[in-house]
Coordinates of all heavy atoms in Angstrom, one line a residue:
M835 N 198.7 51.5 69.0 CA 199.4 50.4 68.4 C 200.6 51.0 67.7 O 200.5 51.8 66.8 CB 198.5 49.7 67.4 CG 199.0 48.5 66.7 SD 199.0 47.2 67.9 CE 199.8 45.9 67.0
P836 N 201.8 50.5 68.1 CA 203.1 51.0 67.4 C 203.2 50.5 66.0 O 202.6 49.5 65.6 CB 204.2 50.4 68.3 CG 203.6 49.2 69.0 CD 202.1 49.5 69.1
D837 N 203.9 51.3 65.2 CA 204.2 50.9 63.8 C 205.2 49.8 63.7 O 205.1 49.0 62.8 CB 204.7 52.2 63.0 CG 203.6 53.3 63.0 OD1 202.6 53.1 62.2 OD2 203.8 54.3 63.7
R838 N 206.1 49.8 64.6 CA 207.1 48.7 64.7 C 207.4 48.3 66.1 O 207.2 49.1 67.0 CB 208.5 49.2 64.1 CG 208.4 49.6 62.6 CD 209.7 49.8 62.0 NE 209.6 50.4 60.7 CZ 210.7 50.8 60.0 NH1 211.9 50.6 60.5 NH2 210.6 51.4 58.9
I839 N 207.9 47.1 66.2 CA 208.3 46.5 67.6 C 209.7 46.0 67.4 O 210.1 45.3 66.5 CB 207.3 45.4 68.0 CG1 205.9 46.0 68.2 CG2 207.8 44.8 69.3 CD1 204.9 44.9 68.5
L840 N 210.5 46.5 68.4 CA 211.9 46.0 68.5 C 212.1 45.2 69.8 O 211.9 45.7 70.9 CB 212.9 47.2 68.5 CG 214.3 46.9 68.8 CD1 214.9 46.0 67.7 CD2 215.1 48.2 69.0
D841 N 212.3 43.9 69.6 CA 212.5 43.1 70.8 C 214.0 42.9 71.0 O 214.7 42.2 70.3 CB 211.9 41.7 70.6 CG 211.9 40.8 71.8 OD1 212.5 41.2 72.8 OD2 211.3 39.7 71.8
A842 N 214.5 43.7 72.0 CA 215.9 43.6 72.4 C 216.1 42.8 73.7 O 217.1 42.9 74.3 CB 216.4 45.0 72.6
S843 N 215.2 41.9 73.9 CA 215.3 41.0 75.1 C 216.5 40.2 75.0 O 216.9 39.7 74.0 CB 214.1 40.1 75.2 OG 212.9 40.9 75.3
G844 N 217.2 40.1 76.2 CA 218.4 39.3 76.2 C 219.7 40.0 75.8 O 220.8 39.5 76.0
L845 N 219.6 41.1 75.2 CA 220.8 41.9 74.7 C 221.3 42.7 75.9 O 220.5 43.3 76.7 CB 220.4 42.8 73.6 CG 220.0 42.1 72.3 CD1 219.6 43.1 71.2 CD2 221.0 41.1 71.8
Q846 N 222.6 42.8 76.0 CA 223.3 43.6 77.1 C 223.7 45.0 76.5 O 223.9 45.2 75.3 CB 224.5 42.9 77.6 CG 224.2 41.5 78.2 CD 223.2 41.6 79.4 OE1 223.4 42.4 80.3 NE2 222.2 40.8 79.3
C847 N 223.8 45.9 77.4 CA 224.2 47.3 77.2 C 225.5 47.2 76.4 O 226.4 46.5 76.7 CB 224.4 48.0 78.5 SG 224.8 49.8 78.3
P848 N 225.7 48.0 75.3 CA 224.8 49.1 74.8 C 223.9 48.6 73.7 O 223.3 49.5 73.0 CB 225.8 50.1 74.3 CG 226.9 49.2 73.7 CD 227.0 48.0 74.7
M849 N 223.7 47.4 73.4 CA 223.0 46.9 72.2 C 221.6 47.3 72.2 O 221.1 47.7 71.1 CB 223.1 45.4 72.1 CG 224.5 44.9 71.7 SD 225.3 45.8 70.3 CE 224.2 45.2 69.0
P850 N 220.8 47.3 73.3 CA 219.4 47.8 73.1 C 219.3 49.2 72.6 O 218.5 49.5 71.8 CB 218.8 47.6 74.5 CG 219.6 46.5 75.1 CD 221.0 46.7 74.6
L851 N 220.2 50.1 73.1 CA 220.2 51.5 72.7 C 220.6 51.6 71.3 O 220.0 52.3 70.5 CB 221.1 52.3 73.6 CG 221.2 53.8 73.2 CD1 219.9 54.5 73.2 CD2 222.2 54.5 74.2
L852 N 221.7 50.9 70.9 CA 222.2 51.0 69.5 C 221.1 50.5 68.5 O 220.9 51.1 67.5 CB 223.4 50.2 69.3 CG 224.7 50.7 70.1 CD1 225.9 49.8 69.9 CD2 225.0 52.1 69.6
K853 N 220.4 49.4 68.8 CA 219.4 48.9 68.0 C 218.2 49.8 67.9 O 217.6 50.0 66.8 CB 219.0 47.5 68.4 CG 220.0 46.4 68.1 CD 219.5 45.0 68.3 CE 220.5 44.0 67.8 NZ 220.5 43.8 66.4
T854 N 217.9 50.5 69.0 CA 216.8 51.5 69.0 C 217.2 52.6 68.1 O 216.3 53.1 67.3 CB 216.6 52.0 70.5 OG1 216.2 50.9 71.3 CG2 215.5 53.1 70.5
K855 N 218.4 53.1 68.2 CA 218.8 54.2 67.3 C 218.7 53.8 65.8 O 218.2 54.6 65.0 CB 220.3 54.6 67.6 CG 220.5 55.4 68.9 CD 222.0 55.7 69.1 CE 222.3 56.4 70.4 NZ 223.7 56.8 70.5
L856 N 219.2 52.6 65.5 CA 219.2 52.2 64.1 C 217.7 52.1 63.6 O 217.4 52.4 62.5 CB 219.9 50.8 64.0 CG 221.4 50.9 64.1 CD1 222.0 49.4 64.1 CD2 222.0 51.6 62.9
E857 N 216.9 51.5 64.4 CA 215.5 51.4 64.0 C 214.8 52.7 63.8 O 214.1 52.9 62.8 CB 214.7 50.6 65.1 CG 213.4 50.1 64.6 CD 213.5 49.0 63.6 OE1 214.5 48.2 63.6 OE2 212.5 48.8 62.8
L858 N 215.1 53.7 64.7 CA 214.5 55.0 64.6 C 215.0 55.7 63.3 O 214.3 56.5 62.7 CB 214.8 55.9 65.8 CG 214.0 55.5 67.1 CD1 214.6 56.2 68.3 CD2 212.5 55.9 66.9
N859 N 216.3 55.5 63.0 CA 216.8 56.1 61.8 C 216.2 55.6 60.5 O 216.2 56.3 59.5 CB 218.3 55.8 61.7 CG 219.1 56.7 62.6 OD1 218.7 57.7 63.1 ND2 220.3 56.2 62.9
S860 N 215.5 54.4 60.5 CA 214.9 53.9 59.4 C 213.4 54.2 59.3 O 212.6 53.7 58.5 CB 215.1 52.4 59.3 OG 214.4 51.7 60.3
M861 N 212.9 55.0 60.3 CA 211.5 55.3 60.4 C 211.2 56.7 60.0 O 212.1 57.6 60.0 CB 211.0 55.1 61.9 CG 211.1 53.6 62.3 SD 210.7 53.3 64.0 CE 208.9 53.7 64.0
S862 N 209.9 57.0 59.7 CA 209.4 58.3 59.3 C 209.0 59.1 60.5 O 208.4 58.4 61.5 CB 208.3 58.2 58.3 OG 208.7 57.5 57.1
P863 N 209.1 60.4 60.5 CA 208.6 61.2 61.6 C 207.1 60.9 61.9 O 206.3 60.7 61.0 CB 208.8 62.6 61.2 CG 210.0 62.5 60.2 CD 209.8 61.2 59.5
G864 N 206.8 60.7 63.2 CA 205.4 60.5 63.6 C 205.1 59.0 63.8 O 204.1 58.7 64.5
Q865 N 205.9 58.1 63.2 CA 205.7 56.7 63.5 C 206.1 56.4 64.9 O 207.0 57.0 65.5 CB 206.6 55.9 62.5 CG 206.0 55.9 61.1 CD 206.8 54.9 60.2 OE1 208.0 54.9 60.2 NE2 206.1 54.0 59.5
E866 N 205.6 55.3 65.4 CA 205.9 54.9 66.8 C 206.6 53.5 66.8 O 206.2 52.6 66.1 CB 204.6 54.8 67.7 CG 204.1 56.2 67.9 CD 203.0 56.3 69.0 OE1 202.5 55.2 69.4 OE2 202.6 57.4 69.3
L867 N 207.6 53.4 67.7 CA 208.4 52.3 67.9 C 208.2 51.8 69.3 O 208.3 52.6 70.3 CB 209.9 52.6 67.6 CG 210.9 51.5 68.0 CD1 210.7 50.2 67.1 CD2 212.3 52.0 67.9
E868 N 207.9 50.5 69.5 CA 207.9 49.9 70.8 C 209.1 49.1 71.0 O 209.5 48.3 70.1 CB 206.7 49.0 71.0 CG 206.6 48.3 72.3 CD 205.4 47.4 72.5 OE1 204.5 47.4 71.7 OE2 205.4 46.6 73.5
V869 N 209.9 49.4 72.1 CA 211.1 48.7 72.4 C 210.9 47.8 73.6 O 210.4 48.3 74.6 CB 212.3 49.7 72.6 CG1 213.5 48.9 72.9 CG2 212.5 50.5 71.4
I870 N 211.3 46.6 73.6 CA 211.2 45.6 74.7 C 212.6 45.2 75.0 O 213.3 44.8 74.2 CB 210.3 44.4 74.3 CG1 208.9 44.8 73.9 CG2 210.3 43.4 75.5 CD1 208.1 43.8 73.2
A871 N 213.0 45.4 76.3 CA 214.4 45.2 76.7 C 214.4 44.5 78.1 O 213.4 44.7 78.9 CB 215.2 46.4 76.7
T872 N 215.4 43.8 78.3 CA 215.6 43.1 79.7 C 216.8 43.7 80.4 O 217.0 43.4 81.6 CB 215.7 41.6 79.5 OG1 216.7 41.3 78.6 CG2 214.4 41.0 79.1
D873 N 217.6 44.4 79.7 CA 218.9 45.0 80.3 C 218.5 46.2 81.2 O 217.9 47.1 80.7 CB 219.9 45.4 79.2 CG 221.1 46.0 79.8 OD1 221.8 45.3 80.6 OD2 221.4 47.1 79.5
A874 N 218.8 46.2 82.5 CA 218.5 47.2 83.4 C 219.0 48.6 82.9 O 218.4 49.6 83.2 CB 219.0 46.9 84.8
G875 N 220.2 48.6 82.2 CA 220.7 49.8 81.7 C 219.8 50.6 80.8 O 219.9 51.8 80.6
S876 N 219.0 49.8 80.1 CA 218.0 50.4 79.2 C 217.1 51.4 79.8 O 216.7 52.4 79.2 CB 217.2 49.4 78.5 OG 218.0 48.5 77.8
A877 N 216.8 51.2 81.1 CA 215.8 52.1 81.8 C 216.4 53.5 81.9 O 215.6 54.4 82.0 CB 215.6 51.5 83.2
K878 N 217.7 53.6 81.9 CA 218.3 55.0 82.0 C 218.8 55.4 80.6 O 218.6 56.6 80.2 CB 219.5 54.9 82.9 CG 219.2 54.7 84.4 CD 220.4 54.7 85.2 CE 220.1 54.4 86.7 NZ 221.3 54.2 87.5
D879 N 219.4 54.5 79.9 CA 220.0 54.8 78.6 C 219.1 55.3 77.5 O 219.3 56.4 76.9 CB 220.8 53.6 78.0 CG 222.0 53.2 78.8 OD1 222.4 54.0 79.7 OD2 222.5 52.1 78.6
I880 N 218.0 54.6 77.4 CA 217.0 55.0 76.3 C 216.4 56.4 76.6 O 216.4 57.2 75.7 CB 216.0 53.9 76.0 CG1 216.8 52.7 75.4 CG2 214.8 54.4 75.2 CD1 216.0 51.4 75.1
P881 N 215.8 56.6 77.8 CA 215.2 57.9 78.1 C 216.3 59.1 78.0 O 216.0 60.2 77.5 CB 214.7 57.8 79.5 CG 214.4 56.4 79.6 CD 215.5 55.7 78.9
A882 N 217.5 58.8 78.4 CA 218.6 59.8 78.3 C 218.9 60.2 76.9 O 219.0 61.4 76.5 CB 219.8 59.3 79.0
F883 N 219.0 59.2 76.0 CA 219.2 59.4 74.6 C 218.0 60.2 74.0 O 218.3 61.2 73.2 CB 219.3 58.1 73.8 CG 219.1 58.2 72.4 CD1 220.0 58.8 71.5 CD2 217.9 57.6 71.8 CE1 219.7 58.9 70.2 CE2 217.7 57.7 70.5 CZ 218.6 58.4 69.6
L884 N 216.8 59.9 74.3 CA 215.7 60.5 73.8 C 215.6 62.0 74.1 O 215.2 62.8 73.4 CB 214.4 59.8 74.2 CG 214.2 58.4 73.6 CD1 213.0 57.7 74.2 CD2 214.2 58.4 72.1
K885 N 216.1 62.4 75.3 CA 216.1 63.8 75.8 C 217.0 64.6 74.9 O 216.8 65.8 74.8 CB 216.5 63.9 77.2 CG 215.4 63.5 78.2 CD 215.9 63.6 79.6 CE 214.8 63.1 80.6 NZ 215.2 63.2 82.0
L886 N 218.0 64.0 74.3 CA 219.0 64.7 73.5 C 218.7 64.6 72.0 O 219.4 65.1 71.2 CB 220.4 64.1 73.7 CG 220.9 64.1 75.2 CD1 222.2 63.4 75.3 CD2 221.1 65.6 75.6
S887 N 217.6 64.0 71.7 CA 217.2 63.8 70.3 C 215.9 64.5 70.0 O 215.3 65.1 70.9 CB 217.0 62.3 70.0 OG 215.9 61.8 70.6
S888 N 215.4 64.3 68.8 CA 214.1 64.9 68.4 C 213.0 63.9 68.6 O 211.8 64.2 68.4 CB 214.2 65.3 66.9 OG 214.3 64.2 66.1
H889 N 213.3 62.7 69.1 CA 212.3 61.7 69.3 C 211.6 61.9 70.7 O 212.2 62.5 71.6 CB 212.9 60.3 69.3 CG 213.8 60.1 68.0 ND1 213.3 60.1 66.8 CD2 215.1 59.8 67.9 CE1 214.2 59.9 65.9 NE2 215.4 59.7 66.6
E890 N 210.4 61.4 70.8 CA 209.6 61.6 72.0 C 209.3 60.3 72.7 O 208.8 59.4 72.0 CB 208.3 62.3 71.6 CG 207.3 62.5 72.8 CD 206.0 63.0 72.3 OE1 205.8 63.4 71.1 OE2 205.1 63.0 73.1
L891 N 209.5 60.3 74.0 CA 209.2 59.1 74.8 C 207.7 59.2 75.1 O 207.3 60.1 75.9 CB 210.0 59.0 76.1 CG 209.7 57.8 77.0 CD1 210.0 56.5 76.3 CD2 210.6 57.9 78.2
V892 N 206.9 58.3 74.5 CA 205.4 58.4 74.7 C 205.1 57.7 76.1 O 204.3 58.2 76.8 CB 204.7 57.7 73.6 CG1 203.2 57.6 73.8 CG2 205.0 58.4 72.3
S893 N 205.7 56.5 76.3 CA 205.5 55.8 77.6 C 206.7 54.9 77.9 O 207.4 54.5 77.0 CB 204.2 55.0 77.5 OG 204.3 53.9 76.6
A894 N 206.8 54.6 79.2 CA 207.9 53.7 79.6 C 207.3 52.9 80.8 O 206.6 53.5 81.7 CB 209.1 54.5 80.0
S895 N 207.6 51.6 80.8 CA 207.1 50.8 82.0 C 208.1 49.7 82.2 O 208.9 49.3 81.4 CB 205.7 50.3 81.7 OG 205.7 49.5 80.5
E896 N 208.0 49.2 83.5 CA 208.8 48.1 83.9 C 207.9 47.0 84.5 O 207.0 47.3 85.2 CB 209.8 48.5 84.9 CG 210.7 47.4 85.4 CD 211.6 47.8 86.6 OE1 211.6 49.0 86.9 OE2 212.3 46.9 87.1
S897 N 208.1 45.7 84.1 CA 207.3 44.7 84.6 C 208.1 43.4 84.6 O 208.7 43.0 83.6 CB 206.1 44.5 83.8 OG 205.3 43.4 84.2
D898 N 208.2 42.7 85.8 CA 208.9 41.4 85.9 C 210.3 41.4 85.3 O 210.7 40.5 84.5 CB 208.1 40.3 85.3 CG 206.8 40.1 86.0 OD1 206.7 40.3 87.2 OD2 205.8 39.8 85.3
G899 N 211.1 42.5 85.5 CA 212.5 42.6 85.0 C 212.6 42.9 83.5 O 213.6 42.9 82.9
G900 N 211.4 43.3 82.9 CA 211.4 43.7 81.5 C 211.1 45.2 81.4 O 210.4 45.7 82.3
Y901 N 211.5 45.8 80.4 CA 211.3 47.3 80.2 C 210.6 47.4 78.8 O 211.0 46.8 77.9 CB 212.6 48.0 80.2 CG 213.3 47.8 81.5 CD1 214.2 46.8 81.6 CD2 213.1 48.6 82.6 CE1 214.9 46.5 82.8 CE2 213.7 48.4 83.9 CZ 214.6 47.3 83.9 OH 215.3 47.1 85.1
R902 N 209.6 48.3 78.8 CA 208.9 48.6 77.6 C 208.9 50.1 77.3 O 208.5 50.9 78.2 CB 207.5 48.1 77.7 CG 206.6 48.3 76.5 CD 205.2 47.7 76.7 NE 204.3 48.1 75.7 CZ 203.7 49.3 75.6 NH1 203.8 50.2 76.6 NH2 202.9 49.6 74.6
F903 N 209.3 50.5 76.2 CA 209.3 51.9 75.8 C 208.5 52.1 74.5 O 208.6 51.3 73.6 CB 210.7 52.4 75.5 CG 211.6 52.2 76.7 CD1 212.4 51.0 76.7 CD2 211.8 53.1 77.7 CE1 213.3 50.7 77.7 CE2 212.6 52.8 78.8 CZ 213.4 51.6 78.8
V904 N 207.7 53.1 74.4 CA 207.0 53.5 73.2 C 207.6 54.9 72.8 O 207.5 55.8 73.6 CB 205.5 53.5 73.3 CG1 204.8 54.0 72.0 CG2 204.9 52.2 73.7
I905 N 208.1 55.0 71.6 CA 208.8 56.1 71.2 C 208.2 56.7 69.9 O 208.0 55.9 69.0 CB 210.3 55.8 70.9 CG1 211.0 55.2 72.2 CG2 211.1 57.0 70.4 CD1 212.3 54.5 71.9
R906 N 207.9 58.0 69.8 CA 207.5 58.6 68.6 C 208.7 59.2 67.9 O 209.4 60.0 68.5 CB 206.4 59.7 68.9 CG 205.8 60.3 67.6 CD 204.7 61.2 67.9 NE 203.6 60.4 68.5 CZ 203.1 60.7 69.7 NH1 203.6 61.7 70.4 NH2 202.1 60.0 70.2
C907 N 208.8 58.8 66.7 CA 210.0 59.2 65.9 C 209.8 60.7 65.5 O 208.8 61.1 65.1 CB 210.0 58.3 64.6 SG 211.4 58.7 63.6
G908 N 210.9 61.4 65.7 CA 211.0 62.8 65.4 C 211.7 63.0 64.1 O 212.0 62.1 63.4
Q909 N 212.1 64.3 63.9 CA 212.9 64.6 62.7 C 214.3 64.1 62.8 O 214.8 64.1 63.9 CB 212.9 66.1 62.5 CG 211.6 66.8 62.3 CD 210.9 66.4 61.0 OE1 211.6 66.1 60.0 NE2 209.6 66.3 61.0
R910 N 214.8 63.6 61.7 CA 216.2 63.1 61.8 C 217.2 64.2 61.4 O 217.0 65.2 60.8 CB 216.4 62.0 60.8 CG 215.7 60.7 61.2 CD 216.0 59.6 60.3 NE 215.3 59.9 59.0 CZ 214.5 59.1 58.4 NH1 214.3 57.9 58.9 NH2 213.9 59.4 57.3

């Protein structure tokens, strides 16, 4: 069960990624964030950002044009 849920449904690139970054910045290391997005760019943007950060992608899935990511917050 994630500590927080960010519903970025209906937002277009780059807003899902920007909102994800802002949410992670307000979280403590070890907490988990679930991000829900409908923008296809999120499928590439969010994992690419996480590879360059201290945050960890726990899971990613796609269903019916929606994308779901679970992210473990790392050190800021």
Side-chain angles (χ1 to χ4, degrees):
M835 185 75 184
D837 297 287
R838 296 191 194 176
I839 296 174
L840 171 64
D841 187 354
S843 299
L845 298 178
Q846 298 300 309
C847 186
M849 291 308 294
L851 177 60
L852 294 177
K853 288 192 173 280
T854 298
K855 287 181 181 181
L856 288 173
E857 195 69 28
L858 287 167
N859 284 340
S860 69
M861 295 175 68
S862 298
Q865 287 187 309
E866 290 190 355
L867 171 66
E868 178 178 348
V869 179
I870 301 163
T872 52
D873 180 58
S876 300
K878 293 180 185 173
D879 294 346
I880 291 176
F883 159 70
L884 294 172
K885 285 181 183 178
L886 300 173
S887 74
S888 63
H889 310 299
E890 176 188 350
L891 181 61
V892 176
S893 66
S895 60
E896 178 185 357
S897 177
D898 297 325
Y901 304 89
R902 179 182 171 275
F903 306 93
V904 176
I905 302 163
R906 183 171 299 117
C907 185
Q909 300 293 326
R910 288 186 289 235

